[in-house]
Amino acid sequence: VTVEDLAVSVECSPCRSITFFADSQAGTHVVADPGEVLTSARYEMAGREKYVRVSCACSNGRKAWTNPMYPVWKLETGD
């Protein structure tokens, strides 16, 4: 997982879906096309997120999660 400017990128083993969770309505869900797999995804943050965490899910239901990541503006302002 890398965080650069307002983007969170993840590279992972082949999986069926990658979800970026953020507070409230923020975040995104990326799903591989039928018969395909994902090995990376990117989430462009809006600049208001309090945290972002990533989940990669295999077709058999197994998941890998990151711990929450707190954007720099969250740490600087304490909001």
Side-chain angles (χ1 to χ4, degrees):
V1 176
T2 58
V3 180
E4 188 174 330
D5 297 323
L6 288 176
V8 177
S9 299
V10 63
E11 292 185 17
C12 58
S13 300
C15 65
R16 181 76 186 120
S17 67
I18 299 173
T19 305
F20 293 87
F21 294 93
D23 52 294
S24 188
Q25 300 290 319
T28 192
H29 183 68
V30 183
V31 178
D33 290 330
E36 300 291 325
V37 295
L38 297 172
T39 56
S40 65
R42 180 180 173 98
Y43 171 60
E44 295 287 338
M45 294 183 279
R48 311 182 288 278
E49 290 86 348
K50 294 180 181 176
Y51 68 90
V52 178
R53 65 185 298 169
V54 184
S55 170
C56 300
C58 294
S59 58
N60 65 5
R62 299 183 88 176
K63 292 183 181 180
W65 289 81
T66 66
N67 286 326
M69 295 168 279
Y70 299 95
V72 173
W73 60 83
K74 169 68 176 159
L75 297 176
E76 289 174 348
T77 63
D79 292 338

